[in-house]
Amino acid sequence: METPTELAALPDDALAHAFRSLPARSLADARSVCKAWRAIVDARGLLLRRRELLPHFVHGIFINCIDHCRPHLFSRRRFPASSSASYEVDGMLDFLPTYHGDWWSVLDHCRGLVLCDIQRGGQLCVCNPAMQTWTLVPPRWQVWARWRYYAGAYLVFDPAMSVHYEVVLIPIDPERSQPEPPRPQKARSEWPVFEVRFHGVDDAPFCLDDWLQSSSDLSDEEEPNHVDDPCQVEWPPTSWTLDVFSSRVGRWEERAFVRQGDPVGTVQDMQLDQPKPTWRGPRQRYAAYWRGGLYVHCRGSFIARFSLLNDTYQVIKTPGDIKENTHAKPYLGISEKGVYFGSVHLCHLQIWILSESSGQMEWIFKYEDDLTYYGHHVRQYVPEMDAPWIVHDNGNVSQGIKESLEWDSDSDDDTFTIKAGSTDEECYGGFDIVGFHPYKEIVFLADYFTVVAYHLKTSTVQYLGNSRPESYYRNYTNDISESFVYTPCMIGELNKGSTTKEN
């Protein structure tokens, strides 16, 4: 067999012929060897033609419920048995190394891989539901801590470029970016002994106030980085150091991303933008990966685009006025034309698309609609509607179901469709965005657990079903906290049950 050096000497057509005979995983590895090989693979679309490994369709939506112990997959109920290509998806993710009584959730999804926090939030785990494989991400800190309290964890994966993935941590608070190590417990024999002498007994009277003042005071000379008002420091900083785990090298690294362009606010702006209460969610704001950039909705009402190829980042303020709309749950995601940002407030849907040209980012306002008519219509006719989607829960979905066909949003005969209309009734309740269709201009909306697909181009709504799990027993905190549109992928460098060790 030829060595990489011998292969490099071959003409491009001969290399392409050799690449066509490789398995998909090996082809993805070969693509990442050098720029020349990447150009050969991309120019001929060798990896993208493996549709059975990179299917471009929506399989379902992973949902986390408020105050619930585990996530669930909400997906189509019926799949034709005549399809030639098939795969199995465990909608309960029972293949993961969780234990009875464990509380865990889905943190992020990126092109077929899912990032979870298992073991009551103290362990990150990356899995592929279509292949039922998983791997544990080594702890970043030496102490046990829940990730959500200190940082948002986001997943970066593009199977058309590489079989490897990355996990990026975005600190929630710049002053508390990681948990403090526990203080060592001293033995009773090591406890300090305090001797108190009273005035008049010896020549050195003890004054507690003076001692505390002298112990805590620090002069400006001892604080070289002294700032008059730390809250007015620009944010995000010129150089932003983040913790990044790479499956390629198998370890965490600190990477400094250099800002391109001006800041968008101050530390005070970020601190005033508090996360939503847990009963409104999401506990961690959404992110999207598009054309080599990780877009993250950060505290301080801005979107940061991180380039993991050249360690730079840009920032732009979020569109609209989401600060005043405290009950809105904005969603950042990928759809047909790139990066989308959407929000629903009092049944008022608004959608923006991010335009990037000549190194500049700009929000373009694209869609707007009043969802009051759809909301009343869905609530009125839900008992009569046939639900083509079902939530995976214990007992209602048998294991090993062959699922091989995408949800056809254009010709789904068993879906109840609602066309645009108007009503004089007032809006009550309302929808929240639970995700964007990555390949079509469709936004998924939920009125509590009633999920519909809203077509942006035609302003029509398709009823999909009720996503409330039967095992979800909460009533007073009854809602979806986070949701992630799931697109399956049949490649990804994950061993079937493994722990990635840090070198």
PDB file of all heavy atoms in Angstrom, residues 277-288:
ATOM      1  N   PRO A 277     -34.754  33.129  34.290  1.00  0.00           N
ATOM      2  CA  PRO A 277     -35.068  32.173  35.355  1.00  0.00           C
ATOM      3  C   PRO A 277     -35.248  30.771  34.780  1.00  0.00           C
ATOM      4  O   PRO A 277     -35.605  30.598  33.624  1.00  0.00           O
ATOM      5  CB  PRO A 277     -36.387  32.719  35.934  1.00  0.00           C
ATOM      6  CG  PRO A 277     -36.423  34.159  35.538  1.00  0.00           C
ATOM      7  CD  PRO A 277     -35.700  34.254  34.233  1.00  0.00           C
ATOM      8  N   THR A 278     -34.986  29.765  35.588  1.00  0.00           N
ATOM      9  CA  THR A 278     -35.015  28.384  35.100  1.00  0.00           C
ATOM     10  C   THR A 278     -36.380  27.991  34.564  1.00  0.00           C
ATOM     11  O   THR A 278     -36.476  27.096  33.728  1.00  0.00           O
ATOM     12  CB  THR A 278     -34.623  27.421  36.225  1.00  0.00           C
ATOM     13  OG1 THR A 278     -35.488  27.637  37.347  1.00  0.00           O
ATOM     14  CG2 THR A 278     -33.188  27.653  36.652  1.00  0.00           C
ATOM     15  N   TRP A 279     -37.464  28.638  34.992  1.00  0.00           N
ATOM     16  CA  TRP A 279     -38.777  28.254  34.491  1.00  0.00           C
ATOM     17  C   TRP A 279     -39.078  28.901  33.138  1.00  0.00           C
ATOM     18  O   TRP A 279     -40.107  28.654  32.555  1.00  0.00           O
ATOM     19  CB  TRP A 279     -39.877  28.634  35.480  1.00  0.00           C
ATOM     20  CG  TRP A 279     -39.904  30.079  35.868  1.00  0.00           C
ATOM     21  CD1 TRP A 279     -40.538  31.095  35.222  1.00  0.00           C
ATOM     22  CD2 TRP A 279     -39.270  30.661  36.999  1.00  0.00           C
ATOM     23  NE1 TRP A 279     -40.341  32.275  35.871  1.00  0.00           N
ATOM     24  CE2 TRP A 279     -39.564  32.046  36.986  1.00  0.00           C
ATOM     25  CE3 TRP A 279     -38.481  30.163  38.036  1.00  0.00           C
ATOM     26  CZ2 TRP A 279     -39.090  32.922  37.954  1.00  0.00           C
ATOM     27  CZ3 TRP A 279     -38.011  31.050  38.999  1.00  0.00           C
ATOM     28  CH2 TRP A 279     -38.324  32.396  38.953  1.00  0.00           C
ATOM     29  N   ARG A 280     -38.171  29.721  32.618  1.00  0.00           N
ATOM     30  CA  ARG A 280     -38.348  30.244  31.276  1.00  0.00           C
ATOM     31  C   ARG A 280     -37.256  29.769  30.331  1.00  0.00           C
ATOM     32  O   ARG A 280     -37.465  29.685  29.144  1.00  0.00           O
ATOM     33  CB  ARG A 280     -38.377  31.772  31.293  1.00  0.00           C
ATOM     34  CG  ARG A 280     -39.682  32.352  31.807  1.00  0.00           C
ATOM     35  CD  ARG A 280     -40.825  31.959  30.903  1.00  0.00           C
ATOM     36  NE  ARG A 280     -40.662  32.448  29.533  1.00  0.00           N
ATOM     37  CZ  ARG A 280     -41.361  31.998  28.508  1.00  0.00           C
ATOM     38  NH1 ARG A 280     -42.221  31.009  28.670  1.00  0.00           N
ATOM     39  NH2 ARG A 280     -41.185  32.491  27.311  1.00  0.00           N
ATOM     40  N   GLY A 281     -36.044  29.510  30.844  1.00  0.00           N
ATOM     41  CA  GLY A 281     -34.969  28.961  30.032  1.00  0.00           C
ATOM     42  C   GLY A 281     -34.620  29.856  28.848  1.00  0.00           C
ATOM     43  O   GLY A 281     -35.254  30.868  28.605  1.00  0.00           O
ATOM     44  N   PRO A 282     -33.613  29.490  28.033  1.00  0.00           N
ATOM     45  CA  PRO A 282     -32.752  28.337  28.272  1.00  0.00           C
ATOM     46  C   PRO A 282     -31.694  28.630  29.335  1.00  0.00           C
ATOM     47  O   PRO A 282     -31.348  29.787  29.571  1.00  0.00           O
ATOM     48  CB  PRO A 282     -32.095  28.116  26.908  1.00  0.00           C
ATOM     49  CG  PRO A 282     -32.025  29.478  26.317  1.00  0.00           C
ATOM     50  CD  PRO A 282     -33.266  30.184  26.781  1.00  0.00           C
ATOM     51  N   ARG A 283     -31.212  27.591  29.983  1.00  0.00           N
ATOM     52  CA  ARG A 283     -30.190  27.785  31.008  1.00  0.00           C
ATOM     53  C   ARG A 283     -28.861  28.197  30.404  1.00  0.00           C
ATOM     54  O   ARG A 283     -28.063  28.868  31.040  1.00  0.00           O
ATOM     55  CB  ARG A 283     -30.042  26.495  31.825  1.00  0.00           C
ATOM     56  CG  ARG A 283     -31.233  26.213  32.728  1.00  0.00           C
ATOM     57  CD  ARG A 283     -31.280  24.780  33.182  1.00  0.00           C
ATOM     58  NE  ARG A 283     -31.672  23.891  32.097  1.00  0.00           N
ATOM     59  CZ  ARG A 283     -31.858  22.589  32.268  1.00  0.00           C
ATOM     60  NH1 ARG A 283     -31.681  22.055  33.461  1.00  0.00           N
ATOM     61  NH2 ARG A 283     -32.220  21.829  31.253  1.00  0.00           N
ATOM     62  N   GLN A 284     -28.609  27.793  29.175  1.00  0.00           N
ATOM     63  CA  GLN A 284     -27.432  28.230  28.438  1.00  0.00           C
ATOM     64  C   GLN A 284     -27.928  28.686  27.074  1.00  0.00           C
ATOM     65  O   GLN A 284     -28.725  28.014  26.427  1.00  0.00           O
ATOM     66  CB  GLN A 284     -26.413  27.100  28.347  1.00  0.00           C
ATOM     67  CG  GLN A 284     -25.858  26.784  27.018  1.00  0.00           C
ATOM     68  CD  GLN A 284     -24.776  25.723  27.025  1.00  0.00           C
ATOM     69  OE1 GLN A 284     -24.155  25.404  28.024  1.00  0.00           O
ATOM     70  NE2 GLN A 284     -24.559  25.154  25.869  1.00  0.00           N
ATOM     71  N   ARG A 285     -27.475  29.854  26.627  1.00  0.00           N
ATOM     72  CA  ARG A 285     -27.984  30.404  25.375  1.00  0.00           C
ATOM     73  C   ARG A 285     -27.449  29.618  24.182  1.00  0.00           C
ATOM     74  O   ARG A 285     -26.454  28.919  24.279  1.00  0.00           O
ATOM     75  CB  ARG A 285     -27.635  31.886  25.283  1.00  0.00           C
ATOM     76  CG  ARG A 285     -28.392  32.690  26.339  1.00  0.00           C
ATOM     77  CD  ARG A 285     -28.036  34.145  26.344  1.00  0.00           C
ATOM     78  NE  ARG A 285     -28.794  34.837  27.386  1.00  0.00           N
ATOM     79  CZ  ARG A 285     -28.645  36.119  27.684  1.00  0.00           C
ATOM     80  NH1 ARG A 285     -27.759  36.844  27.019  1.00  0.00           N
ATOM     81  NH2 ARG A 285     -29.366  36.659  28.635  1.00  0.00           N
ATOM     82  N   TYR A 286     -28.122  29.787  23.071  1.00  0.00           N
ATOM     83  CA  TYR A 286     -27.871  28.926  21.924  1.00  0.00           C
ATOM     84  C   TYR A 286     -26.658  29.365  21.118  1.00  0.00           C
ATOM     85  O   TYR A 286     -26.201  30.504  21.193  1.00  0.00           O
ATOM     86  CB  TYR A 286     -29.112  28.886  21.028  1.00  0.00           C
ATOM     87  CG  TYR A 286     -30.293  28.218  21.679  1.00  0.00           C
ATOM     88  CD1 TYR A 286     -31.360  28.963  22.186  1.00  0.00           C
ATOM     89  CD2 TYR A 286     -30.350  26.834  21.807  1.00  0.00           C
ATOM     90  CE1 TYR A 286     -32.450  28.356  22.787  1.00  0.00           C
ATOM     91  CE2 TYR A 286     -31.437  26.214  22.403  1.00  0.00           C
ATOM     92  CZ  TYR A 286     -32.478  26.975  22.890  1.00  0.00           C
ATOM     93  OH  TYR A 286     -33.542  26.362  23.498  1.00  0.00           O
ATOM     94  N   ALA A 287     -26.174  28.420  20.320  1.00  0.00           N
ATOM     95  CA  ALA A 287     -25.035  28.669  19.432  1.00  0.00           C
ATOM     96  C   ALA A 287     -25.307  27.988  18.098  1.00  0.00           C
ATOM     97  O   ALA A 287     -26.195  27.140  17.974  1.00  0.00           O
ATOM     98  CB  ALA A 287     -23.739  28.157  20.047  1.00  0.00           C
ATOM     99  N   ALA A 288     -24.520  28.363  17.080  1.00  0.00           N
ATOM    100  CA  ALA A 288     -24.659  27.774  15.752  1.00  0.00           C
ATOM    101  C   ALA A 288     -23.289  27.740  15.087  1.00  0.00           C
ATOM    102  O   ALA A 288     -22.480  28.655  15.269  1.00  0.00           O
ATOM    103  CB  ALA A 288     -25.646  28.578  14.903  1.00  0.00           C
TER     104      ALA A 288
END
